């Protein structure tokens, strides 16, 4: 008999990974912690392998969990899109601003498939630094922005926090003094908290590479130039750096132009972004 992967179980799994702990995921989903733990155990029984390492500090993915994660995200995204398709026919234009760190393949692919299901709509996706995102938002080019909300003139409709994680290039000695750093160029509001974390721990550092783009930072880490602080979705396999000071969480939010209230297309895209992130 064929065993299906229930979307509720996949949502419990994905939310726990992104939240970093079962207790935070339970709060986000409106469940009790025991109920969420039970859902995770049910999913592991269906898969036949442990998916999460559980510790007092939170949860992390097992090898099987890492393999399942992108499929789980894709299934949840497609489920959301199917609901949207079945409920309404949409048309019009929507500008979506994405912080580059959050423009993951899963998110951009889901938005592309959303346009495929709704052939009468136009989505304009732009990835811009904070000041340029503000200009695009004020001018009306961007209707919805998933970014650092501090740059935008309207309040967030939804916010989330995610921890930064150290990424280590091959051959890098993390005990080096000073520590070689790969950083995002200014303007970057997450840069100062990273440097302050090192200074509070007594670690000296030197900047060996700066870039305005995520791809540039990832390439420098991959080349072994130094260590960098990235969001978990942007870590490449085998690059997590142990034994460095714990980094702070950073906030991002979904900001919507008040001029789009009542726009059914923007409503649908907002719902999709909330589900994806």
């Amino acid at each position: 008999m064929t065993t299906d992967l229930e979307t509720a179980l996949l949502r419990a799994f994905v939310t726990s990974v992104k939240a970093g702990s079962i207790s935070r995921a339970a709060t986000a989903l409106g469940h009790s912690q025991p109920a969420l733990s039970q859902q995770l155990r049910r999913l592991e029984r269906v898969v036949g392998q442990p998916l999460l390492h559980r510790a007092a500090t939170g949860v992390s993915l097992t090898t099987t969990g890492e393999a399942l994660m992108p499929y789980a995200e894709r299934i949840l995204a497609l489920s959301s899109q199917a609901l949207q398709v079945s409920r309404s026919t949409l048309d019009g234009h929507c500008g979506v601003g994405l912080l580059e760190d959050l423009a993951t393949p899963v998110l951009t692919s889901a938005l592309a498939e959303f346009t495929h299901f709704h052939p009468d709509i136009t989505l304009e996706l732009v990835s811009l630094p904070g000041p340029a995102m503000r200009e695009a938002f004020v001018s009306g080019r961007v209707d919805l922005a998933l970014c650092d909300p501090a740059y935008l003139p309207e309040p967030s409709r939804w916010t989330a926090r995610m921890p930064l994680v150290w990424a280590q290039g091959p051959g890098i000695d993390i005990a080096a003094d000073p520590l070689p750093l790969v950083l995002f160029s200014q303007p970057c509001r997450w840069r100062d908290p990273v440097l302050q974390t090192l200074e509070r721990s007594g670690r000296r550092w030197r900047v060996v590479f700066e870039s305005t783009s995520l791809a540039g930072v990832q390439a420098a880490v991959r080349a072994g130039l130094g260590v960098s602080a990235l969001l978990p979705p942007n870590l490449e396999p085998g690059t997590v750096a142990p034994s460095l000071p714990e980094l702070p969480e950073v906030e991002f939010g979904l900001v919507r132009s008040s001029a789009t209230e009542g726009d059914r297309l923007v409503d649908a895209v907002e719902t999709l972004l909330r589900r994806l992130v």
Side-chain angles (χ1 to χ4, degrees), residues 101 162-168 182 184 190 194 213-215 217-219 221 227-236 239 247-248 250:
D101 305 64
M162 190 179 295
L164 291 170
V165 180
W166 289 111
Q168 173 184 351
V182 175
F184 286 93
W190 300 349
V194 170
S213 75
L214 173 62
V217 169
Q218 288 175 320
V221 171
V227 301
S228 188
L230 299 172
L231 293 178
N234 299 319
L235 289 171
E236 297 183 342
T239 62
L247 289 165
V250 293

Side-chain angles (χ1 to χ4, degrees), residues 103-161:
T104 62
V106 169
L107 188 150
T108 52
S109 294
L111 289 171
E113 290 174 2
F114 183 79
T115 63
H116 174 74
F117 285 124
H118 297 284
D120 295 328
I121 72 169
T122 301
L123 289 188
E124 181 185 1
L125 308 182
V126 294
S127 178
L128 300 167
M133 186 75 77
R134 179 186 177 91
E135 292 179 11
F137 188 86
V138 171
S139 69
R141 181 185 178 190
V142 166
D143 301 302
L144 283 166
L146 185 61
C147 64
D148 181 347
Y151 287 103
L152 299 188
E154 297 195 30
S156 300
R157 296 172 69 95
W158 171 85
T159 60
R161 300 185 69 83

Side-chain angles (χ1 to χ4, degrees), residues 77-272:
L78 289 173
S79 174
S80 173
Q81 293 164 22
L83 286 174
Q84 291 294 337
V85 170
S86 64
R87 288 173 179 169
S88 62
T89 300
L90 301 173
D91 58 18
H93 174 277
C94 179
V96 181
L98 298 174
L99 179 70
E100 186 183 12
D101 305 64
L102 301 174
T104 62
V106 169
L107 188 150
T108 52
S109 294
L111 289 171
E113 290 174 2
F114 183 79
T115 63
H116 174 74
F117 285 124
H118 297 284
D120 295 328
I121 72 169
T122 301
L123 289 188
E124 181 185 1
L125 308 182
V126 294
S127 178
L128 300 167
M133 186 75 77
R134 179 186 177 91
E135 292 179 11
F137 188 86
V138 171
S139 69
R141 181 185 178 190
V142 166
D143 301 302
L144 283 166
L146 185 61
C147 64
D148 181 347
Y151 287 103
L152 299 188
E154 297 195 30
S156 300
R157 296 172 69 95
W158 171 85
T159 60
R161 300 185 69 83
M162 190 179 295
L164 291 170
V165 180
W166 289 111
Q168 173 184 351
I172 292 296
D173 178 9
I174 59 174
D177 184 22
L179 183 69
L181 292 183
V182 175
L183 295 177
F184 286 93
S185 303
Q186 298 287 16
C188 174
R189 293 203 323 125
W190 300 349
R191 176 176 167 138
D192 285 346
V194 170
L195 298 179
Q196 290 165 8
T197 295
L198 289 173
E199 290 169 357
R200 282 195 299 269
S201 68
R203 291 298 304 267
R204 296 197 307 157
W205 51 269
R206 62 186 178 92
V207 178
V208 296
F209 183 88
E210 293 187 41
S211 176
T212 58
S213 75
L214 173 62
V217 169
Q218 288 175 320
V221 171
R222 194 182 309 120
L225 292 181
V227 301
S228 188
L230 299 172
L231 293 178
N234 299 319
L235 289 171
E236 297 183 342
T239 62
V240 176
S243 306
L244 286 173
E246 183 177 355
L247 289 165
E249 292 184 335
V250 293
E251 183 180 77
F252 57 91
L254 184 64
V255 184
R256 175 172 174 171
S257 170
S258 56
T260 67
E261 292 298 336
D263 187 307
R264 292 173 57 247
L265 172 57
V266 182
D267 289 344
V269 177
E270 178 181 355
T271 298
L272 178 59

